[in-house]
Amino acid sequence: MFRGNKPVLILPAILAVIMIIGGYQFLQGSEAITNEELQNVIDFQLDTRETDQGIEITANWDWTVMPAEGLYGEDYIGVVVMEKNTMTPRTDIVVEQGQLELLYADRTIEETKGTVVENGIIFPFSNKLVEHESYGNVGRLKVNLAGEDIEGEDVILTLIHTWTDHAPLEKTDASLSSPTFTGAANVPHWGLRISNRAE
């Protein structure tokens, strides 16, 4: 069928054409995700462990894709312990320690101790791109709470994601159920509640 070196030249060319066509169809079939849709692809893990004083909370998150508009603004995570009967945040809990770290390539690039409020703790963190490093899409936190009768299923984390430059969040309620931004209205955002409670 083929004589000489023709197969050596023709077969790689056919393979290259197939790869180009396949790559083009893959790119056409994959839609870019927006910041509004980002809540559907976040991988968020929450773990709790009882201690002598109360409970230790660890969490980590990773957005599996980057939004088409890029990263911009500031995000927040609030940590509360809910009262079983009323499902309202408890105010008798003491935050002994809290730390949030943003990661890039397994390296810490930003950290914060958070703001302790009456019913828990709120962590603000950057949501941006600096040169080739992305801030906010991968991170972890650790919080130690002291108090009586705290169970893992009573812990609620709330993530607020924003994607514009905005006035800072008023850090008064760690449940972040009705976030208010100082002197600003209509700040685009969404909230995601994370818990180990069986629904």
Side-chain angles (χ1 to χ4, degrees):
M1 186 170 156
F2 291 113
R3 292 185 181 172
N5 292 330
K6 289 182 181 178
V8 175
L9 300 174
I10 293 174
L11 292 177
I14 292 172
L15 181 61
V17 170
I18 291 171
M19 289 175 59
I20 290 170
I21 293 171
Y24 177 77
Q25 289 179 342
F26 173 78
L27 291 175
Q28 293 300 313
S30 61
E31 297 180 13
I33 196 163
T34 65
N35 274 286
E36 292 92 335
E37 300 167 322
L38 201 53
Q39 61 187 311
N40 300 322
V41 297
I42 188 170
D43 179 21
F44 206 112
Q45 304 293 324
L46 168 64
D47 293 301
T48 57
R49 181 181 67 85
E50 291 185 18
T51 65
D52 293 338
Q53 292 76 31
I55 199 162
E56 179 182 86
I57 302 160
T58 55
N60 57 71
W61 68 93
D62 184 355
W63 294 334
T64 55
V65 296
M66 293 292 282
E69 311 98 320
L71 297 173
Y72 195 65
E74 189 170 46
D75 284 2
Y76 309 89
I77 292 180
V79 181
V80 297
V81 175
M82 303 301 277
E83 204 283 324
K84 288 179 177 58
N85 296 326
T86 62
M87 288 306 294
T88 57
R90 289 174 55 176
T91 57
D92 62 332
I93 303 299
V94 176
V95 179
E96 293 190 323
Q97 177 185 355
Q99 181 167 335
L100 179 146
E101 298 176 324
L102 300 183
L103 307 174
Y104 181 82
D106 296 326
R107 179 172 50 88
T108 300
I109 55 176
E110 180 179 298
E111 58 184 278
T112 177
K113 299 292 185 189
T115 300
V116 176
V117 297
E118 183 181 21
N119 61 2
I121 185 169
I122 301 171
F123 296 96
F125 58 94
S126 300
N127 202 14
K128 62 185 179 182
L129 288 170
V130 177
E131 295 179 356
H132 64 282
E133 294 184 345
S134 57
Y135 286 67
N137 60 311
V138 180
R140 63 187 174 202
L141 66 81
K142 182 177 179 181
V143 179
N144 286 88
L145 303 176
E148 295 184 1
D149 301 321
I150 305 175
E151 296 181 9
E153 66 177 19
D154 300 332
V155 174
I156 303 283
L157 272 62
T158 303
L159 168 66
I160 299 291
H161 174 64
T162 69
W163 51 92
T164 62
D165 191 18
H166 59 81
L169 176 79
E170 293 181 6
K171 300 178 188 74
T172 55
D173 178 13
S175 73
L176 301 178
S177 57
S178 299
T180 304
F181 299 91
T182 307
N186 302 321
V187 173
H189 69 279
W190 50 255
L192 182 65
R193 288 171 59 104
I194 301 99
S195 74
N196 290 331
R197 183 178 295 274
E199 298 295 336

